[in-house]
Amino acid sequence: FSPQHLDDDTVSGSNWITENNVQHSLSQTTKTTRKPYCGYTQQTLSKREQAEQESLLAAIEWPKPPDGKIAFAQSTDPTHSDFVIVKPSRFFKVGDQLEVLVRMKDFQGKPKQYGGDYLQARIHSPGLKAGAAGRIVDCHNGLYKVFFTLLWPGEVKVSVSLVHPSEAVQVLLRLREERPDRVYFKSSFKSGRYSETTECNVCLPGGLPVCNFTDLYTGEPWFCYKPRKLSCASRISHAKGGYLKGLLTQEESLFFQSDVNIKRPILSSGPDSVIVKPKAFTDLSSMDRAEDPTASPSGYYYEDQWRSRTHWIHNFNKSDDITECLQGKVIHLFGDSTIRQWFEYLTAFVP
């Protein structure tokens, strides 16, 4: 994530700390050195964990542009770029694949010769309140193929947007490696009526005592500056602090312009929609059922309801129905800010 565009929901309002940390790490105090105090060097991975780490790193590997400095004029421009529907006039029916070709160009109107742009693509029918995501294939030459599964009948519109140009992605990669502390956090410590708040992060500038909340099971590093008068065990809450400023050079900042090259639409140079005919004698609720659990997309929206392609989903529209389903069960919610929003919705909808 770019530091200046991280969703505020990501961490704000989170007052949770892991049970593992509470039990094992709250009382540890460590003296920092002059260098940033990080816990990465303390981790020792088993062969299985090393293999898992390598697999995860391979999964998130992103195409890189050519070596050397790239000027803003040679970076991806969503206005000059376009997309075309392959064979837009062919006869489409529910279940067919729709292919779209995206052609990226720079601010001089010249075709890009390398990939790595972060694109998002979807099909949607506003009147039906229907939508689904597409699968994007980077051809590494400035061209991208997008594949959609047509899952409902009617007029289906294609939309493509540039989230980040490839040049910006490389800046984010550098920041991730060099400045893991670019977003900082804070924790509150309290004993009786006295409370203090200190800064927390995966790394902290040296020179002051810190509380070491590194997870002893996973080795995941986490530190807070130790309160002046309170112990590390008095920590009661966690929240977002803010963003470090001045991490981008003047040239790099040009790749992060919200009205120029961040989350900007890419328009079609031809038709941007197709007409999809229904399958004969097929029930709409079951026509999209995919046997492959890795089917792409895993689901879609239709009539403002999410429909899974791999599992049957029960819809609960009344709080009493949800209460009856959850009665006698212990619910664990794990995830990021989206899970927190679900938690807040659930506790508001079900008294």
Side-chain angles (χ1 to χ4, degrees):
F1 299 103
S2 56
Q4 61 270 70
H5 293 94
L6 189 67
D7 182 0
D8 284 345
D9 275 339
T10 302
V11 287
S12 60
S14 300
N15 293 320
W16 311 325
I17 48 181
T18 66
E19 182 180 354
N20 209 34
N21 284 351
V22 171
Q23 291 178 340
H24 303 296
S25 302
L26 280 175
S27 62
Q28 299 182 39
T29 303
T30 308
K31 181 71 174 179
T32 62
T33 61
R34 290 185 178 180
K35 295 181 179 180
Y37 190 84
C38 302
Y40 301 114
T41 57
Q42 299 176 2
Q43 298 185 47
T44 55
L45 302 179
S46 66
K47 289 185 177 180
R48 182 187 63 81
E49 291 170 332
Q50 288 176 355
E52 181 181 5
Q53 184 184 59
E54 291 174 2
S55 175
L56 289 171
L57 290 174
I60 64 172
E61 188 175 4
W62 201 263
K64 293 185 178 181
D67 293 334
K69 205 169 187 179
I70 298 174
F72 174 71
Q74 280 80 53
S75 67
T76 304
D77 177 15
T79 303
H80 279 103
S81 304
D82 66 358
F83 73 85
V84 292
I85 296 176
V86 178
K87 299 179 181 178
S89 59
R90 63 165 281 200
F91 177 80
F92 291 101
K93 63 181 183 300
V94 170
D96 286 346
Q97 291 286 308
L98 177 67
E99 182 179 345
V100 170
L101 181 67
V102 186
R103 303 176 291 199
M104 309 305 290
K105 297 181 179 179
D106 63 22
F107 282 89
Q108 297 173 326
K110 297 179 180 178
K112 295 291 292 288
Q113 300 300 316
Y114 53 89
D117 296 297
Y118 176 18
L119 303 177
Q120 288 182 344
R122 65 187 177 112
I123 50 174
H124 54 111
S125 299
L128 297 173
K129 295 184 178 179
R135 181 173 63 89
I136 300 173
V137 177
D138 189 340
C139 300
H140 305 285
N141 58 2
L143 300 178
Y144 299 80
K145 293 181 179 181
V146 188
F147 299 94
F148 300 97
T149 302
L150 299 171
L151 297 167
W152 62 86
E155 183 179 9
V156 176
K157 183 179 175 64
V158 176
S159 293
V160 181
S161 61
L162 174 72
V163 180
H164 279 306
S166 56
E167 296 78 17
V169 172
Q170 295 309 305
V171 176
L172 297 178
L173 175 63
R174 177 184 67 79
L175 288 176
R176 187 189 72 185
E177 297 299 324
E178 297 178 3
R179 297 305 303 263
D181 60 340
R182 64 191 180 279
V183 182
Y184 64 92
F185 304 84
K186 59 186 178 182
S187 280
S188 295
F189 299 78
K190 186 175 182 180
S191 179
R193 295 184 177 181
Y194 183 77
S195 63
E196 292 185 49
T197 299
T198 70
E199 183 180 336
C200 305
N201 221 318
V202 293
C203 295
L204 290 172
L208 296 173
V210 299
C211 295
N212 186 352
F213 296 115
T214 297
D215 191 298
L216 299 182
Y217 177 72
T218 65
E220 193 120 20
W222 195 252
F223 306 95
C224 296
Y225 284 127
K226 187 181 182 303
R228 290 176 297 173
K229 298 182 179 179
L230 299 177
S231 69
C232 295
S234 62
R235 179 177 182 233
I236 60 169
S237 70
H238 165 78
K240 185 181 71 175
Y243 308 109
L244 297 181
K245 306 296 183 181
L247 298 181
L248 301 177
T249 66
Q250 187 172 1
E251 293 81 4
E252 289 174 338
S253 64
L254 297 176
F255 300 139
F256 297 93
Q257 301 182 69
S258 58
D259 57 343
V260 176
N261 50 16
I262 288 183
K263 296 184 179 179
R264 300 299 298 169
I266 295 174
L267 303 180
S268 171
S269 60
D272 63 355
S273 65
V274 296
I275 302 298
V276 181
K277 300 295 183 181
K279 268 188 176 179
F281 311 110
T282 302
D283 177 21
L284 186 62
S285 64
S286 61
M287 68 185 177
D288 57 304
R289 189 68 51 194
E291 295 180 1
D292 181 5
T294 63
S296 180
S298 62
Y300 67 103
Y301 278 97
Y302 187 81
E303 294 180 342
D304 214 21
Q305 293 285 335
W306 174 256
R307 298 189 174 192
S308 171
R309 299 183 67 211
T310 57
H311 298 86
W312 293 106
I313 291 181
H314 296 281
N315 290 319
F316 299 96
N317 299 316
K318 297 179 180 179
S319 61
D320 290 344
D321 294 337
I322 297 178
T323 300
E324 183 179 353
C325 175
L326 299 183
Q327 193 135 23
K329 298 179 176 70
V330 176
I331 310 300
H332 297 271
L333 299 174
F334 295 94
D336 56 12
S337 62
T338 305
I339 289 295
R340 182 178 60 78
Q341 292 176 62
W342 273 111
F343 174 78
E344 291 173 350
Y345 169 80
L346 189 62
T347 53
F349 191 69
V350 181

